[in-house]
Amino acid sequence: MVLLQRPHILLLLIGTHQFLQCWIAFGSVNEEGQKQAEFSEELLLKPLPDHKLLAHFHFQSSGPPSTSNGCHHHLFPKAISQLVQKFRIKEMELSFTKGRWNYESWGGFDPLSSSNAKPPGVELWAVFDVPQHHIDASWKNLTHTLSGLFCASINFLESTATYSTPEWSFPPASGNVRYGTLPCEAVCTENLTPWLKLLPCRDKAGIALLLDRPSLYRGFYHSQQLHLTSTGSSSEGIDSGIILEQTLTVVLQPNSEMAIEVHASEKHIQPSWSLSSIFGKQVSGRCVLAKPSSVYLLLDRGLSAANGLTSENFWSNPSFELSANPDRIFLEESSSHSKSLSILYMFQVEKYCESEPFDIGLMWKVPVAWLCQQTPLHASRFLMGSGNERAAIAISLKSTQFTEGFMSANSKDGSCELRVDVFQVVPWYVKVYFHSLRVFVDQQPRAVSDIIEKIHVSPSKDKMSPGVMEVVLKLPCRVNTAALTIEFDKGFLRIDEYLPDANQGFDIPSAIISFPNFHASMVFLEDDSLNKSPLLSKFQEKCPVMSYTEVLLVPLTTPDFSMPYNVITITCTVFALYFGSVLNVLQRSVAEEERFLKAKAAKKTGRLPLLLSKLSAKLRGRRLEPLHSPPSSSSFINSKLVLKVILVAGLAVGWQYFFS
Amino acid sequence: MEKVKKKIGSFSFWNWVTASIIFRLILIYFPKNLNLSSRPEVSTPLTSFRRLAEGYWLKQSFMSPYAGSMYHGSPLLLSLLGPLTINSLVSVIADVVSAMLIRATGQNLRLAYLRSLESLDLVKQIEVSEFLFSGDIAALIYLCNPFTIVACVGLSTSPIENMAVILCLYGACSRLIPLAAFGWVIATHLSLYPAILIIPVIFLLGCGPDSPPRKLFLQRHQQKEVLNQSKLPPRFSWGPVIHFAFWAFLWSVYVLVLCGISLKQFGGLWEMFKSTYGFILTVEDLSPNIGVLWYFFAEVFEFFRNFFLIVFHVNILFMILPLAIRLRHRPCYLAFVYVAICSMLKSYPSVGDSALYLGLLGWFVNELADMQFSLFLFCGYVGVSLLSPVMHNLWIWRGTGNANFYFATAMVYACLQIVLVVEGVSAMLNHDRKLRNLITGKPQDAKS
């Protein structure tokens, strides 16, 4: 008992000591009145051209610097702050996505799509603030922690064969980045629940109340993200703590019942919707802890142009009707290469309460058609070739309406170039031949050195590391189509390396196509309130335009999974046959001579044949004798055996007696 | 009469050589439909030219050619063959050179055999005039073998590896010790397995080319009761062996230094050994080939992998000693058996390896005239080489068969090679027995 008590006491001592330290630290901060933990909740709704609606939830909590605050937090989730402190993460992004972002109809040039369109499955990247040789260990621990936190198989990213180290094409360019994806990860509500747990009000109050699982997962696209930025342990001394952004982007199809009621005659009209019709719930007031708690409705440039809304007449909206009056309307700052402007309607949730819940609806009056702003080049990726031996990956880039506009704007200066970065990770069993890289511009094969400005390749090592290819393309602006093809051999795996559904095939993660010359940003006028809204200030940041290509499914040849024993036994038999027969042949002559000598000798004194013949004669002559003799001999053996058994038993008893 | 025969023989020999070269060139310049370079029978991870091109590309872009697991060949091949555009011509030349070397060695062996028969006074009992020109036959078998043609046209490095092996044997047979050492070092450097050829080379240098066992000579002379030392085959002499060892050391240092220079800015020699010899020994690549190890290691449980790796490699090593003891008087035949065993048990076999030992088999047409199952073996080889591509197509391209189909042909192929080795060795031992019986005057029908 004494032994058992000691660690308790020790633990208690340590615990109290730490608690005191923390408490002291916490108190001191409060006295100083430094940065407080903040939390904001925002929802952005955006009608999409193909009769769908985008809902973008944005929750941001910022934790005060750990040095000044100790280990206690008001709002900030403790799990995340511990994670950041333990693994010294500078920046991290984790996304769970289901479905594919439709770049052609949902756009790709605005900040919303370039930062929230993610590849299917899980994507994780992290920047660490540790020495170079510790990064991999930190990454491994991080994946395990996250997989526990979010109930996902992120721990599969632990092995070196699944994650890569982008050199320069990945946006947060530095050597400490690790990037990994799990394209086949199934994303569902079990990942959402732990994600919601990080919110101070969970989904019990505020905007998060809208997150009704059935209606969320019914959508066309669902991406749940966690973005961490920390300056906690930077050497610069400026300590602004940790900022945790949790976003959830869903593309939903509004129920068209309302539209049918009102405009049954018109087919092409956009379906009208309201929050309650989409999510089946209403917002009954804000989360008490959230500082700004607001809902936005964004009409992008194309839509506002189609509605004829300009900076003068944006108060009147001829084509649709809002069920609630906006508290504010923001207008985008006019940019250089588009005349139309996006319009943002803002609704403050603070004004509403339980008895008067917030609901916003949009009723279309006339059919409107518009196009979202697209990426300069539309990227898609496909496989070429047939059979299970080898194939080729092709990344094709097609010009969009944006490029045409851009080209006409820049056509005056003759040498106009479009820079495109391609970042492609391939798993090791896709054995890429980098020397087979071909570039086609406008369907004409071109010399690789003409088009590719910079290339960085790290070839895959079997079962060790994936293949990474980073390419910078310099395309002429007038390009219509461009294509990159690269050949690969399909690898053959051991039977236990195949997934349970081996015949389904393996996924090649999405390639990232980014356009570093273009930045998507939306700057809204009326700056005074912008400081309060993290979502809008995020829109103002210049983020590079990037898009993800499709995930490719590569079928690999399978061995026969039921055969291991057969293969082992048959092969070993053949080898034994080889060994035995060669040895037999080699020693045969010696044996032959011996046999010859023996045969000679046997003629004189054949003892063994003699014995055998005697025995046979005995067996034939007196049949009863052998039958009688065995019992006698067996009884003799039995008596001996009994003696032995008794001896052993006696020994055992003695042993037992001696030691007890 | 003999002279006329010889003339006709040599005339048709050169005809056949030109025909085979022209056939190769035709195949090379109509490569569109053949696609031989991607056949699993031709290009293994070690011999594939595509992988060599990838290694060369990596080297050109200032990366180690062994970065990634694509290239597993020698850095010297990379600098020799990498910049060339017409690689198939190199393999044609390599084939012709090896055929010529095979011919010269075969003639050498035949002369040695005749000389030993003469000294045994068996010229009358065995009709020497019926003797075939084994050198010409071996060279023609090597040149016109479809396996050789496929390996040559299909852009693989195996013609060069084969040439190195043949160079080694030729050098040892004609006592050009530096050449033998060079061939041995290069062959070992390129594909590791020819390292065990050092034993036949030592025997060749120590006692000269193939001859009946020394015991027979002694018996013969005891019968005659005159011990004529000049007619006896020479005793084992260590001089040339030491000479060979010196040259082998010199050449290997030279090769290593060259490799070191070409890999200086990359991982160095250790990386080279790891990704060439290490790759051969650990059977990392499980893509199908005509051997059986790929499927075995794809199916075997991870726990036993190392054990079986050791077992299969030791299988080669275990056979070295018994064979060397029994066939020490016939070093060239010993070399043939070693090459055959290696090409059967090697981790990434290709038809190029089979082409080599089938060519070497031609040297011993006179001795192996009584070999059993030769028709069966011939039919087996034809059958397997027709069935194997069909099964591969069914499995990989059509998806209607599974891996077992292809593995079955590989298994049959391995069995055929086993039968060839076993029957070959037993036929050679029987031949020696026959000679002994001729000398001692025993009845010839002493069944083996």
Side-chain angles (χ1 to χ4, degrees), chain A residues 13-26:
Chain A
L13 272 172
I14 294 165
T16 29
H17 183 237
Q18 282 206 333
F19 174 74
L20 276 170
Q21 268 193 336
C22 289
W23 189 74
I24 289 160
F26 190 57

Side-chain angles (χ1 to χ4, degrees), chain A residues 123-188:
Chain A
E123 185 199 48
L124 171 69
W125 60 260
V127 186
F128 295 93
D129 186 28
V130 290
Q132 205 73 33
H133 55 279
H134 287 314
I135 292 179
D136 288 315
S138 297
W139 168 267
K140 271 174 198 171
N141 290 330
L142 174 70
T143 54
H144 279 275
T145 317
L146 286 176
S147 114
L149 262 180
F150 291 101
C151 297
S153 35
I154 307 172
N155 56 324
F156 287 159
L157 289 176
E158 169 212 39
S159 88
T160 49
T162 49
Y163 68 88
S164 55
T165 312
E167 283 291 316
W168 33 261
S169 77
F170 202 65
S174 72
N176 301 349
V177 193
R178 291 292 180 276
Y179 173 87
T181 53
L182 292 172
C184 49
E185 176 78 5
V187 177
C188 203

Side-chain angles (χ1 to χ4, degrees), chain A residues 511-577:
Chain A
I512 303 175
I513 314 286
S514 52
F515 304 93
N517 291 352
F518 299 93
H519 293 281
S521 64
M522 264 190 220
V523 184
F524 290 97
L525 297 169
E526 297 187 58
D527 281 275
D528 55 324
S529 65
L530 285 190
N531 300 332
K532 286 180 187 169
S533 163
L535 178 64
L536 296 191
S537 53
K538 196 168 179 234
F539 278 3
Q540 284 192 353
E541 284 169 18
K542 278 193 166 186
C543 61
V545 177
M546 55 193 258
S547 61
Y548 289 86
T549 62
E550 299 91 338
V551 168
L552 289 179
L553 190 63
V554 184
L556 290 188
T557 322
T558 56
D560 193 337
F561 292 104
S562 60
M563 284 286 277
Y565 291 103
N566 301 355
V567 169
I568 293 168
T569 48
I570 293 174
T571 315
C572 289
T573 309
V574 168
F575 277 103
L577 196 75

Side-chain angles (χ1 to χ4, degrees), chain A residues 259-420:
Chain A
I260 290 164
E261 277 172 31
V262 184
H263 297 283
S265 56
E266 291 174 71
K267 276 182 184 171
H268 298 294
I269 195 158
Q270 292 265 340
S272 303
W273 50 264
S274 67
L275 276 187
S276 52
S277 79
I278 300 166
F279 295 108
K281 281 180 180 175
Q282 291 170 325
V283 183
S284 54
R286 68 184 183 113
C287 168
V288 217
L289 298 164
K291 199 59 183 293
S293 169
S294 36
V295 175
Y296 300 92
L297 174 69
L298 176 72
L299 303 184
D300 70 356
R301 290 168 192 163
L303 180 56
S304 58
N307 279 335
L309 296 177
T310 54
S311 49
E312 287 86 40
N313 64 343
F314 60 85
W315 279 103
S316 63
N317 30 18
S319 58
F320 62 89
E321 203 173 89
L322 287 174
S323 68
N325 276 330
D327 296 305
R328 269 201 136 115
I329 298 181
F330 299 112
L331 208 62
E332 196 191 356
E333 241 173 38
S334 55
S335 62
S336 57
H337 51 260
S338 68
K339 280 151 207 161
S340 51
L341 305 167
S342 329
I343 294 168
L344 195 70
Y345 299 88
M346 178 183 154
F347 305 88
Q348 276 172 337
V349 186
E350 285 123 65
K351 299 193 298 187
Y352 301 90
C353 62
E354 199 100 21
S355 54
E356 192 201 341
F358 170 72
D359 192 6
I360 172 190
L362 189 140
M363 194 90 82
W364 292 95
K365 288 189 282 194
V366 285
V368 183
W370 76 98
L371 283 173
C372 278
Q373 246 196 329
Q374 295 195 354
T375 47
L377 293 170
H378 178 250
S380 64
R381 195 177 59 160
F382 51 90
L383 280 181
M384 301 195 298
S386 68
N388 278 338
E389 200 176 21
R390 56 182 180 274
I393 304 174
I395 298 175
S396 92
L397 303 164
K398 268 185 207 142
S399 63
T400 54
Q401 98 274 16
F402 172 83
T403 344
E404 284 152 27
F406 177 75
M407 194 189 74
S408 59
N410 284 334
S411 57
K412 284 145 205 166
D413 46 329
S415 62
C416 151
E417 276 180 332
L418 190 63
R419 191 182 146 175
V420 184

Side-chain angles (χ1 to χ4, degrees), chain B residues 181-254:
Chain B
F182 176 74
W184 181 74
V185 166
I186 291 292
T188 308
H189 172 66
L190 290 183
S191 63
L192 180 65
Y193 289 100
I196 61 169
L197 288 183
I198 191 165
I199 293 163
V201 167
I202 285 175
F203 281 131
L204 263 178
L205 293 175
C207 336
D210 294 22
S211 63
R214 194 179 156 80
K215 212 162 52 175
L216 286 191
F217 292 92
L218 291 175
Q219 274 180 352
R220 191 70 187 169
H221 292 290
Q222 272 174 359
Q223 277 181 357
K224 285 174 134 189
E225 288 168 7
V226 213
L227 214 74
N228 194 347
Q229 279 292 339
S230 66
K231 279 199 166 183
L232 267 179
R235 289 190 159 275
F236 192 86
S237 53
W238 283 101
V241 176
I242 292 161
H243 199 180
F244 173 80
F246 167 73
W247 273 103
F249 172 74
L250 213 66
W251 282 118
S252 47
V253 166
Y254 180 62

